[in-house]
Amino acid sequence: MGYSFMGAAHSQAWRTAPRFFDLPLAPQLTALVGRNDSAARAAAAKLGWDSVHTDWRELIERDDIDVVDICSPGNTHAEIAIAALEAGKHVLCEKPLANTVAEAERMAEAASLAAARGVYSMCGFTYRRTPALALAKRMVDDGRLGTIRHVRAQYLQDWLSDENAPMTWRLDKSKSGSGSLGDIGAHSIDAAQWITGRTISGVSAMLETFVKERPIGGEMVGLGGHGAVGDDVPRGKVTVDDAAIFSARFGGPAHDGGPHDNGAASDGGPIGVFEATRFALGRKNAMRVELNGTLGSVAFDFEDMNVLQYYGAADGPDAGFRRIMVTEPSHPYVGNWWPTGHGLGYEHGFTHQVVDFVTAIAEGRQPEPSFADALQVQKVLEAVEASAAADSRWQSV
Amino acid sequence: MGYSFMGAAHSQAWRTAPRFFDLPLAPQLTALVGRNDSAARAAAAKLGWDSVHTDWRELIERDDIDVVDICSPGNTHAEIAIAALEAGKHVLCEKPLANTVAEAERMAEAASLAAARGVYSMCGFTYRRTPALALAKRMVDDGRLGTIRHVRAQYLQDWLSDENAPMTWRLDKSKSGSGSLGDIGAHSIDAAQWITGRTISGVSAMLETFVKERPIGGEMVGLGGHGAVGDDVPRGKVTVDDAAIFSARFGGPAHDGGPHDNGAASDGGPIGVFEATRFALGRKNAMRVELNGTLGSVAFDFEDMNVLQYYGAADGPDAGFRRIMVTEPSHPYVGNWWPTGHGLGYEHGFTHQVVDFVTAIAEGRQPEPSFADALQVQKVLEAVEASAAADSRWQSV
Amino acid sequence: MGYSFMGAAHSQAWRTAPRFFDLPLAPQLTALVGRNDSAARAAAAKLGWDSVHTDWRELIERDDIDVVDICSPGNTHAEIAIAALEAGKHVLCEKPLANTVAEAERMAEAASLAAARGVYSMCGFTYRRTPALALAKRMVDDGRLGTIRHVRAQYLQDWLSDENAPMTWRLDKSKSGSGSLGDIGAHSIDAAQWITGRTISGVSAMLETFVKERPIGGEMVGLGGHGAVGDDVPRGKVTVDDAAIFSARFGGPAHDGGPHDNGAASDGGPIGVFEATRFALGRKNAMRVELNGTLGSVAFDFEDMNVLQYYGAADGPDAGFRRIMVTEPSHPYVGNWWPTGHGLGYEHGFTHQVVDFVTAIAEGRQPEPSFADALQVQKVLEAVEASAAADSRWQSV
Amino acid sequence: MGYSFMGAAHSQAWRTAPRFFDLPLAPQLTALVGRNDSAARAAAAKLGWDSVHTDWRELIERDDIDVVDICSPGNTHAEIAIAALEAGKHVLCEKPLANTVAEAERMAEAASLAAARGVYSMCGFTYRRTPALALAKRMVDDGRLGTIRHVRAQYLQDWLSDENAPMTWRLDKSKSGSGSLGDIGAHSIDAAQWITGRTISGVSAMLETFVKERPIGGEMVGLGGHGAVGDDVPRGKVTVDDAAIFSARFGGPAHDGGPHDNGAASDGGPIGVFEATRFALGRKNAMRVELNGTLGSVAFDFEDMNVLQYYGAADGPDAGFRRIMVTEPSHPYVGNWWPTGHGLGYEHGFTHQVVDFVTAIAEGRQPEPSFADALQVQKVLEAVEASAAADSRWQSV
């Protein structure tokens, strides 16, 4: 469902996964849903789907559909996902899970009930499937970083830097839920929680909207572009954040996620600093994560996505950040692709997502990240907004 | 034809090209050829081909085949390609075009005759389709580098660095033609000639085989691996070069490619230095090209394949190599993929190759690189071997 | 005064400045002060000072002393500096200016009174004299970045990462004033305010002490090292922060520095995020500053100190961060040193500091950063501590 | 002797070495020699020398001179050095040792005779004293790279890229001996031979002069600059190489340095490829060395001089080039300077050279590189020129 940027990425993943991986089930691209019939037909032809619907309810009524893949805007996720799960369809839902915690909670509850019946759901935090980040996670799990002290996560883009880039649905809070925070910051939050194996327990935040109004219409280029300029050009009000900055504390591995006072002594979890922006001129898709532990550190930047930087204190005085080309057969996902040194691209994460999702379904176990995991991310997003609205005061998650 | 590493890459390209590009013709994956019937059937199923043959001649006899894509070892190229062209099939042939200049000449002649009948052929130097290298080419063509003085091309890998990596057909000159020189050095030669728009007119070379014998059998990992070790393990003789180094001169843009004496005054073409090796421990697929001109320089490394380094003297005292993320809509091939900053991977070059090949066929014009272009590369390879065998003496191409 | 790390750096600067720059006054290394007479004598001999005193008051009484250079711990700065200024000596004082705002205010007042009499003072934020950062400042002043939106400042070290690194005066709040915040974070604050030409108007902060107690004694290696381990080893209490994270808003160029509410609409100044830590394993002296403006961005990392990364939107679709080797004759300070491409080291900033300080004195004008500038940094440090103690609530500076 | 670029670097080294290192002897900057008396006096005052002479013979006659440091052009080295050695002065001579092998042989002979009397000499290949390269050498000596297979040495500058940069003595073969080859290529040769512990046994080479004539006069900027332009501007003939490329073989560790046939089977020494140019636009002082061995690799670039890249196969599948900040107390020379992460600059190599030279003299042993070592470099330079003049034919050293 949905056939633009995300639709193209998901379609390519469904087509490609069985070509490079041995899937226990054979995906069929049965039907694509789009509101506009002719546009949907064109998209289906282009992307390789067998049929189209203009109403997602029709899809859910079909008996020959086992999986629903939701790529529509965030405000539609809850209704579709819950209906699909109740109809016994496995659901892959794009992030952010929902636009509010309330919606996300309903979705997580539906997911939990469905899982008890063997119907599974997953949220599309695809960066987990980037081999370099998956390797970082493996290193942390293997204890190679020791106890994590610092999390440093930036997600820097610049496609809104031009103050005349056009107004779009992504800048309208009623549709997108939030701006850079939910769109890209959510990826950082999920990655940080997943890799550390800990949940964020509290935050202090600041949000900023640099450009308050933007021209309606104008030429889109990529996600941004350059709108019409002039006094008579109608302008729409930007109702989301352009940038978000927050500090965070993480609970322990078995942490209950409950309130945590910033002033109190640390319980030993890491501290984190997060920044998400679409105004970092020159940074195109710098989704960066760095972790510093007692034994080692890792650093990742999506602009060099086939590389993981790793520093091991055990390397001694000749230690240095190792530029690991994450293209070895032993690295996550990589063995199914090309020889060493032949890197992957952005959409490979979506292919890996399909592999993991389908495999979990076939094996009758919960795929990750679950809707519950995604709900936790949603709670962090809400706490960030609450703190920003309350003079940056510490806000428990 | 052929279904291993290259077969998988080509298949993915044929499947994917029409999903992201508007092709004037719709590719059908009609038939795959492999000598072993059951293996070929398995590959066809995996890679999405409709039927299989165990003899390539059957393929050529089929009326419903318009294009033959040759991915088999180099010593088979000439026979297949010539037969296919004569049968009126367009041919895409993997590099190196052939194992000898004589074969390549026959192929180029067949290609020329076929082209006169509207039947086209192309050689698979896919690095030309890497957006960053295509951007480098565009910059040179646009005059942004001025007159090129230096070409610096390295192709560094390390998968044979382990002296117990197993003996394979790639190390047997009768099958592969040459070692690092033809396998990877050929890419550097093609890229250098293509980007500069000039042909190499002479070379002085040195070849080296570090490991003269290798165990037969043993576990392959990627292209290399680790063979069985022990006194009783049979070992095969490595008959190709492990590393090749050569210096070169380039003729002028309208150069006739004829003999050129190194001792004579330069005619103004650039000088080049080339190195190809599979023993550069730590370098995984460092296909690097740097050009220095009178106005600017570019530098590329496939290990960071979505980036082109560019230096423009016009940037003044605050000039510096620009790390261009070659992911803008205006960059070659990129607009059909993802938003800015979302990089591509190794196999995208193959998809672009399909796009260019199919488009040229549909438009009735010669796709590039032609067999004649590939023959020129073959001549350089031969000159390199001749120089290395003659005390490194300068050898005209 | 003071002859350890900072003493060595300052002495080298005083000796070297006249050898490479045309100074209007000729520095004489007249006297060094140290509490322990024999140690001070040894240091003076080593570092090239003509005489020694064990009491700084003796120095100030000497008629042949024009300049006092204070490198002692922060808790001694105010008394010495004020006395020196009152005695008509020009003063160069290491950062942080003082351990409290109250002290800093008295110093700034004394400095102001002295300046009226032609006696000048300066605070040693030497990073201002790193050519790459000075170039960043010049670019901002020249409007090449447009309006600054983002300030991203990290100062990452790892010399305390070993939990058994010994207890030292730097970890004792009564001597050092604060930990990573005042020691290294102060550099980030000064750099950010100086380069943007704006003062920080408010902050929200979090401090953390990862290791609460450390062994007394043990072998120092560099600033850190490894202390004695065992149950019977006496341990001292760490009373400073190990890491500091804060977000900030900057006032306008003509900003009065007064209170600024975070919840209110932005006044157009940039937002900033700061992090200072000595626990970022693998980061040795990563003093980093990145600014994103409407027209351009710059990024700096002291671990590659001769380089400034610059991105100019005017470079168009082929823009990319330029890796500027800041070694051109036209670059700040550089023309007096070596040919292009021959980089400078850490202590050169101190030499440049001497040049700027002496030149300002000779020309009868206030050198920068003044004690007033340093007081402003001190106020930010205090606001950070206040916010961290108040649940990260926004704190005006 | 000599007081320009090299004179300033050497003077700073003599002044600074005793401030940071415990030297067994105390250097005195007794006298500076320059042909022009007033210029020499000004230089001596600026650089800190006690007296001046206009004739180097006067210096050698002085009893209070123990060491002669030769920084004059290459064509003057032999006469001065031999006279100084015969007069019992220790000699530090800038590279290249001489302009011809014949001169270098006489110098090496004089050095040998002098050494027998306890009078020592050394040649100024200062890159040996860059901590990162010294660490590379240590790693090789410790066996961490295993057997070296590849040497890849580039020395890339661009200060002559402008075809109107003025004619200078460096471009006049009668004064400078050669161009990029002897000026910068000599550094690469020395570094390669020193680090590998092997001598180059043969070469195949190509030289090129891109710009055959240059304007006489014009404004120098750094080493290059921009000369006067116009038809009436007198132009001088460039008689040296602008760029040099050569491949090489290295003899075994105990190799006699005798003739070695390129066509013959390798004796197990590494193969090398070298390039030196002043026309690599954008490369400012890229003195680069990479070694690939059976167990590890190292890579260095002077444009990031405080870093050594190291790859160790023993790091396993998570190996990657480690970016070692060569600023640890255990690294060569570094412990006497600043804390970890605080890098050194270009001239520190000269300071280390003084330390090593003075220490060797005091301990009565031969400092390295000896004149014999420098003679070997000279022989390689001569072989390169001979090969280039003979159609690139292999030339034994």
Side-chain angles (χ1 to χ4, degrees):
Chain A
M1 297 180 165
Y3 47 80
S4 60
F5 171 20
M6 277 302 116
H10 281 241
S11 299
Q12 173 74 349
W14 287 108
R15 285 192 310 263
T16 301
R19 301 304 179 190
F20 288 87
F21 292 81
D22 291 319
L23 297 188
L25 298 168
Q28 303 294 325
L29 281 70
T30 309
L32 177 146
V33 177
R35 290 201 219 170
N36 179 298
D37 186 63
S38 63
R41 284 188 190 284
K46 187 76 185 168
L47 300 175
W49 296 84
D50 296 335
S51 60
V52 302
H53 296 279
T54 54
D55 186 337
W56 58 265
R57 289 172 191 82
E58 298 166 12
L59 190 77
I60 287 174
E61 288 166 8
R62 284 178 65 160
D63 288 341
D64 60 343
I65 299 284
D66 298 312
V67 168
V68 175
D69 181 357
I70 305 173
C71 297
S72 52
N75 59 335
T76 67
H77 289 184
E79 186 179 12
I80 303 173
I82 292 169
L85 287 169
E86 290 178 347
K89 317 297 191 197
H90 306 288
V91 173
L92 173 58
C93 182
E94 256 306 315
K95 48 57 58 184
L97 187 61
N99 280 3
T100 66
V101 166
E103 287 173 332
E105 281 176 337
R106 289 200 296 122
M107 293 171 77
E109 192 178 338
S112 176
L113 292 172
R117 306 191 313 269
V119 176
Y120 296 106
S121 49
M122 187 166 100
C123 187
F125 286 109
T126 45
Y127 285 106
R128 291 192 180 200
R129 272 80 193 188
T130 303
L133 278 181
L135 178 60
K137 165 68 170 165
R138 183 198 288 177
M139 284 180 161
V140 170
D141 287 351
D142 290 350
R144 293 175 66 181
L145 269 61
T147 303
I148 310 295
R149 284 165 171 158
H150 281 290
V151 175
R152 198 169 293 115
Q154 300 171 328
Y155 203 140
L156 312 178
Q157 299 181 332
D158 72 355
W159 54 275
L160 284 178
S161 186
D162 181 340
E163 65 186 0
N164 286 314
M167 183 69 201
T168 73
W169 70 269
R170 289 176 187 273
L171 307 180
D172 176 352
K173 191 175 177 65
S174 70
K175 296 211 181 63
S176 60
S178 73
S180 61
L181 177 63
D183 183 25
I184 54 178
H187 280 299
S188 300
I189 294 166
D190 179 68
Q193 296 191 136
W194 169 63
I195 298 176
T196 60
R198 292 160 181 266
T199 52
I200 290 174
S201 57
V203 296
S204 164
M206 179 167 75
L207 299 178
E208 174 71 2
T209 302
F210 295 110
V211 177
K212 316 285 200 257
E213 292 190 331
R214 289 186 177 274
I216 294 172
E219 186 191 1
M220 293 288 291
V221 179
L223 295 171
H226 192 79
V229 185
D231 289 347
D232 56 345
V233 173
R235 301 179 79 88
K237 191 165 167 51
V238 174
T239 49
V240 299
D241 59 286
D242 284 339
I245 294 172
F246 60 99
S247 56
R249 288 187 182 274
F250 291 72
H255 200 269
D256 64 0
H260 183 287
D261 185 67
N262 189 32
S266 160
D267 68 347
I271 60 173
V273 54
F274 292 77
E275 184 178 13
T277 178
R278 295 148 165 175
F279 283 74
L281 194 59
R283 305 300 176 189
K284 303 306 177 182
N285 198 41
M287 191 277 190
R288 299 173 178 171
V289 183
E290 176 165 335
L291 307 179
N292 308 125
T294 51
L295 301 179
S297 292
V298 288
F300 172 80
D301 185 338
F302 196 81
E303 291 194 357
D304 196 8
M305 67 168 280
N306 292 292
V307 167
L308 181 69
Q309 305 275 353
Y310 162 73
Y311 181 96
D315 286 345
D318 295 335
F321 274 89
R322 296 184 196 168
R323 189 179 188 273
I324 305 174
M325 288 289 297
V326 188
T327 57
E328 297 295 321
S330 65
H331 290 151
Y333 304 109
V334 174
N336 289 60
W337 294 98
W338 314 112
T340 299
H342 297 68
L344 305 184
Y346 169 68
E347 76 265 34
H348 290 76
F350 292 88
T351 298
H352 303 159
Q353 178 170 266
V354 162
V355 172
D356 290 344
F357 182 53
V358 169
T359 303
I361 289 171
E363 298 179 353
R365 58 178 170 73
Q366 175 63 47
E368 294 191 330
S370 68
F371 280 14
D373 294 327
L375 165 62
Q376 162 66 16
V377 173
Q378 207 71 35
K379 287 179 178 172
V380 176
L381 296 176
E382 192 178 68
V384 166
E385 294 198 316
S387 172
D391 229 16
S392 301
R393 194 185 303 191
W394 195 259
Q395 187 75 22
S396 295
V397 174
Chain B
M1 296 179 167
Y3 47 81
S4 60
F5 172 19
M6 276 303 115
H10 282 242
S11 299
Q12 173 74 350
W14 287 107
R15 285 192 309 265
T16 301
R19 302 302 177 190
F20 288 87
F21 292 81
D22 290 320
L23 298 187
L25 298 168
Q28 303 294 325
L29 282 69
T30 309
L32 177 146
V33 177
R35 290 203 216 170
N36 179 297
D37 186 63
S38 64
R41 284 188 191 283
K46 188 75 186 169
L47 301 174
W49 296 85
D50 295 335
S51 60
V52 302
H53 295 280
T54 53
D55 186 337
W56 57 266
R57 290 172 191 83
E58 297 166 11
L59 190 77
I60 288 175
E61 287 166 10
R62 285 178 65 160
D63 288 341
D64 60 343
I65 298 284
D66 296 313
V67 167
V68 175
D69 182 356
I70 305 174
C71 297
S72 50
N75 58 337
T76 67
H77 289 183
E79 186 179 13
I80 302 173
I82 293 170
L85 287 169
E86 290 178 348
K89 317 298 191 197
H90 306 289
V91 172
L92 173 58
C93 181
E94 255 307 314
K95 49 58 56 182
L97 187 62
N99 279 3
T100 67
V101 165
E103 287 173 333
E105 281 176 336
R106 290 200 296 123
M107 294 172 77
E109 192 178 338
S112 177
L113 292 171
R117 305 191 315 268
V119 177
Y120 297 106
S121 49
M122 187 167 101
C123 186
F125 287 109
T126 44
Y127 285 106
R128 291 190 179 202
R129 272 80 193 187
T130 303
L133 278 181
L135 178 59
K137 165 69 169 166
R138 183 199 286 176
M139 285 181 160
V140 170
D141 287 351
D142 289 350
R144 293 175 67 182
L145 267 61
T147 302
I148 310 295
R149 284 166 172 158
H150 281 289
V151 175
R152 199 168 292 114
Q154 300 171 328
Y155 202 141
L156 311 179
Q157 299 181 332
D158 72 356
W159 53 275
L160 284 178
S161 186
D162 181 341
E163 63 186 1
N164 287 313
M167 182 70 201
T168 73
W169 71 270
R170 289 176 186 271
L171 306 180
D172 176 353
K173 192 175 177 65
S174 69
K175 296 210 180 63
S176 60
S178 73
S180 60
L181 177 63
D183 183 26
I184 55 180
H187 280 300
S188 300
I189 294 166
D190 180 68
Q193 296 192 136
W194 169 63
I195 299 177
T196 61
R198 291 161 181 263
T199 52
I200 290 174
S201 57
V203 297
S204 163
M206 179 166 77
L207 300 178
E208 173 71 2
T209 302
F210 294 111
V211 178
K212 316 286 199 257
E213 292 190 331
R214 288 186 178 276
I216 294 172
E219 187 190 1
M220 293 289 290
V221 178
L223 295 171
H226 193 78
V229 184
D231 289 347
D232 56 345
V233 173
R235 300 179 81 87
K237 192 166 165 52
V238 174
T239 49
V240 299
D241 59 286
D242 284 339
I245 295 173
F246 60 99
S247 56
R249 288 186 182 276
F250 290 73
H255 200 270
D256 62 359
H260 183 287
D261 184 68
N262 188 31
S266 159
D267 69 347
I271 59 173
V273 54
F274 292 76
E275 184 179 12
T277 179
R278 296 149 165 174
F279 283 73
L281 194 60
R283 304 301 178 188
K284 303 305 178 183
N285 199 41
M287 191 276 190
R288 299 172 177 172
V289 183
E290 177 165 335
L291 306 178
N292 308 124
T294 51
L295 300 179
S297 292
V298 289
F300 172 78
D301 185 337
F302 196 81
E303 291 194 358
D304 197 8
M305 67 168 278
N306 292 294
V307 166
L308 181 69
Q309 305 276 352
Y310 162 73
Y311 181 95
D315 286 344
D318 295 335
F321 273 89
R322 296 185 195 167
R323 188 178 189 274
I324 305 174
M325 288 289 297
V326 188
T327 57
E328 296 296 321
S330 65
H331 289 152
Y333 304 109
V334 175
N336 288 62
W337 295 99
W338 313 114
T340 299
H342 297 68
L344 304 184
Y346 169 68
E347 76 266 33
H348 290 76
F350 293 86
T351 299
H352 303 157
Q353 178 171 266
V354 162
V355 172
D356 290 344
F357 182 54
V358 169
T359 304
I361 289 171
E363 297 178 354
R365 57 177 171 76
Q366 175 62 48
E368 293 191 331
S370 67
F371 279 14
D373 294 329
L375 165 62
Q376 161 67 17
V377 173
Q378 206 72 35
K379 287 180 178 172
V380 176
L381 296 176
E382 192 179 67
V384 166
E385 294 198 316
S387 173
D391 228 17
S392 301
R393 195 185 301 192
W394 195 260
Q395 187 74 22
S396 295
V397 174
Chain C
M1 297 178 166
Y3 47 81
S4 61
F5 171 20
M6 276 303 115
H10 281 242
S11 299
Q12 173 74 351
W14 287 108
R15 285 192 309 263
T16 300
R19 302 303 178 191
F20 289 86
F21 292 81
D22 291 320
L23 297 187
L25 297 168
Q28 303 295 325
L29 281 70
T30 309
L32 177 146
V33 177
R35 289 202 218 170
N36 179 299
D37 186 62
S38 63
R41 284 188 190 284
K46 188 76 186 169
L47 301 174
W49 296 84
D50 295 334
S51 60
V52 302
H53 295 280
T54 54
D55 186 337
W56 58 266
R57 290 172 191 83
E58 297 167 11
L59 190 77
I60 287 174
E61 286 167 10
R62 286 178 65 160
D63 288 340
D64 59 345
I65 298 283
D66 297 313
V67 167
V68 175
D69 181 355
I70 305 174
C71 297
S72 51
N75 59 336
T76 67
H77 288 184
E79 186 180 12
I80 302 173
I82 294 170
L85 288 169
E86 289 178 348
K89 319 296 192 198
H90 306 288
V91 172
L92 172 58
C93 181
E94 256 307 314
K95 47 60 58 182
L97 187 61
N99 280 3
T100 67
V101 166
E103 286 173 332
E105 281 176 335
R106 290 201 294 123
M107 292 171 78
E109 193 179 336
S112 176
L113 291 172
R117 304 191 314 269
V119 176
Y120 296 106
S121 49
M122 187 166 100
C123 187
F125 287 109
T126 44
Y127 285 105
R128 292 191 179 201
R129 272 80 193 187
T130 303
L133 277 180
L135 178 60
K137 166 69 169 165
R138 183 199 287 177
M139 285 181 161
V140 170
D141 288 351
D142 289 350
R144 293 175 67 182
L145 267 62
T147 302
I148 310 295
R149 284 164 172 160
H150 281 289
V151 175
R152 199 168 291 115
Q154 301 171 328
Y155 202 140
L156 311 179
Q157 298 181 332
D158 73 355
W159 53 274
L160 284 179
S161 187
D162 181 339
E163 64 186 1
N164 286 313
M167 183 70 200
T168 73
W169 71 268
R170 288 176 187 271
L171 306 180
D172 176 353
K173 192 175 176 66
S174 70
K175 297 211 180 62
S176 60
S178 73
S180 60
L181 177 63
D183 183 27
I184 55 180
H187 280 299
S188 300
I189 294 166
D190 179 68
Q193 296 191 136
W194 169 64
I195 298 176
T196 60
R198 291 161 181 265
T199 52
I200 290 174
S201 58
V203 296
S204 164
M206 180 166 77
L207 300 178
E208 173 71 2
T209 303
F210 295 111
V211 177
K212 316 285 199 255
E213 292 190 331
R214 289 186 177 274
I216 294 172
E219 187 191 0
M220 293 289 290
V221 178
L223 295 170
H226 193 78
V229 185
D231 288 347
D232 56 345
V233 173
R235 300 180 80 88
K237 192 167 166 50
V238 174
T239 49
V240 299
D241 59 286
D242 283 338
I245 295 172
F246 60 99
S247 56
R249 288 188 182 275
F250 291 72
H255 200 269
D256 62 0
H260 183 287
D261 184 67
N262 188 33
S266 160
D267 69 347
I271 60 173
V273 54
F274 292 76
E275 184 179 11
T277 179
R278 296 149 166 175
F279 284 73
L281 193 61
R283 305 300 178 189
K284 303 305 177 183
N285 198 41
M287 191 277 189
R288 300 171 177 174
V289 183
E290 177 165 334
L291 306 179
N292 307 125
T294 51
L295 301 178
S297 292
V298 289
F300 172 79
D301 185 337
F302 196 82
E303 291 194 358
D304 196 9
M305 67 167 281
N306 291 294
V307 166
L308 181 69
Q309 304 275 353
Y310 162 73
Y311 181 96
D315 286 344
D318 296 334
F321 273 89
R322 296 185 195 166
R323 188 177 188 275
I324 305 174
M325 289 288 298
V326 188
T327 57
E328 297 294 322
S330 65
H331 290 152
Y333 303 109
V334 174
N336 289 60
W337 294 99
W338 313 114
T340 298
H342 297 68
L344 304 185
Y346 169 69
E347 76 265 33
H348 291 76
F350 292 86
T351 298
H352 304 157
Q353 179 170 266
V354 162
V355 172
D356 291 344
F357 182 53
V358 169
T359 304
I361 289 171
E363 297 178 354
R365 58 178 170 75
Q366 175 63 46
E368 294 192 330
S370 68
F371 280 14
D373 293 328
L375 166 62
Q376 161 67 17
V377 173
Q378 206 71 37
K379 286 179 177 173
V380 176
L381 296 176
E382 191 178 67
V384 166
E385 293 198 315
S387 173
D391 229 16
S392 302
R393 195 185 302 191
W394 195 261
Q395 187 73 24
S396 295
V397 174
Chain D
M1 295 180 166
Y3 47 79
S4 60
F5 172 18
M6 276 304 115
H10 281 241
S11 300
Q12 174 74 351
W14 287 108
R15 285 192 309 265
T16 301
R19 302 304 179 190
F20 288 86
F21 292 80
D22 290 320
L23 297 187
L25 297 168
Q28 303 295 325
L29 283 68
T30 309
L32 177 147
V33 177
R35 289 203 217 169
N36 179 299
D37 186 63
S38 64
R41 284 187 191 285
K46 188 74 185 170
L47 301 174
W49 296 84
D50 295 335
S51 60
V52 301
H53 296 279
T54 54
D55 186 338
W56 58 266
R57 289 171 192 82
E58 297 167 12
L59 190 77
I60 287 175
E61 288 166 9
R62 284 178 66 160
D63 288 340
D64 61 344
I65 298 285
D66 297 312
V67 167
V68 174
D69 181 355
I70 306 173
C71 297
S72 52
N75 58 335
T76 67
H77 289 183
E79 186 180 11
I80 302 174
I82 293 170
L85 288 169
E86 290 178 348
K89 317 298 191 197
H90 306 289
V91 172
L92 173 58
C93 182
E94 256 306 316
K95 49 57 59 183
L97 186 62
N99 279 4
T100 66
V101 166
E103 286 173 333
E105 281 176 336
R106 289 200 295 123
M107 293 171 77
E109 192 178 337
S112 176
L113 291 172
R117 304 191 315 268
V119 176
Y120 296 106
S121 48
M122 186 165 101
C123 186
F125 287 109
T126 44
Y127 285 106
R128 292 192 180 200
R129 273 80 194 188
T130 304
L133 278 181
L135 178 59
K137 164 70 169 166
R138 183 198 288 177
M139 284 180 161
V140 170
D141 288 350
D142 290 350
R144 293 174 66 181
L145 268 62
T147 302
I148 309 295
R149 285 165 171 159
H150 281 290
V151 175
R152 199 169 291 115
Q154 301 171 326
Y155 202 140
L156 310 178
Q157 298 181 332
D158 73 354
W159 53 274
L160 284 178
S161 186
D162 182 340
E163 63 186 2
N164 288 313
M167 183 69 200
T168 73
W169 70 269
R170 288 176 186 272
L171 305 181
D172 176 353
K173 191 174 177 64
S174 69
K175 297 211 179 62
S176 60
S178 73
S180 61
L181 176 64
D183 184 25
I184 55 179
H187 280 299
S188 299
I189 294 166
D190 180 67
Q193 295 191 137
W194 169 63
I195 298 176
T196 61
R198 290 160 181 265
T199 52
I200 290 175
S201 56
V203 297
S204 163
M206 179 167 75
L207 299 178
E208 173 73 0
T209 302
F210 295 110
V211 178
K212 317 284 200 253
E213 292 190 330
R214 289 186 176 275
I216 294 171
E219 186 191 358
M220 293 289 291
V221 179
L223 295 171
H226 193 78
V229 184
D231 289 346
D232 55 346
V233 172
R235 300 180 80 88
K237 192 165 167 50
V238 174
T239 49
V240 299
D241 59 287
D242 283 339
I245 295 173
F246 60 99
S247 55
R249 289 187 182 275
F250 291 73
H255 201 271
D256 63 1
H260 183 288
D261 184 66
N262 188 32
S266 160
D267 69 347
I271 60 173
V273 54
F274 292 77
E275 185 179 11
T277 179
R278 296 147 165 176
F279 283 73
L281 193 61
R283 305 301 176 188
K284 303 306 178 183
N285 198 41
M287 190 277 190
R288 299 172 178 173
V289 183
E290 177 165 335
L291 306 179
N292 307 125
T294 51
L295 301 179
S297 293
V298 290
F300 172 79
D301 185 337
F302 196 82
E303 290 194 359
D304 197 7
M305 68 168 278
N306 292 292
V307 167
L308 181 69
Q309 305 276 353
Y310 162 73
Y311 181 95
D315 286 345
D318 295 334
F321 274 89
R322 296 184 196 168
R323 188 178 189 274
I324 305 174
M325 290 288 298
V326 188
T327 57
E328 296 296 321
S330 65
H331 290 152
Y333 305 109
V334 174
N336 287 61
W337 295 98
W338 314 112
T340 298
H342 296 70
L344 305 185
Y346 169 68
E347 76 265 34
H348 290 76
F350 292 87
T351 299
H352 303 158
Q353 178 171 266
V354 162
V355 172
D356 290 344
F357 182 53
V358 169
T359 303
I361 290 171
E363 296 179 355
R365 57 178 171 74
Q366 175 62 47
E368 294 192 332
S370 68
F371 279 14
D373 294 328
L375 166 61
Q376 161 67 16
V377 173
Q378 207 71 35
K379 287 179 178 173
V380 176
L381 297 176
E382 193 178 66
V384 167
E385 294 198 315
S387 173
D391 228 17
S392 301
R393 195 184 303 191
W394 195 260
Q395 186 74 23
S396 294
V397 174

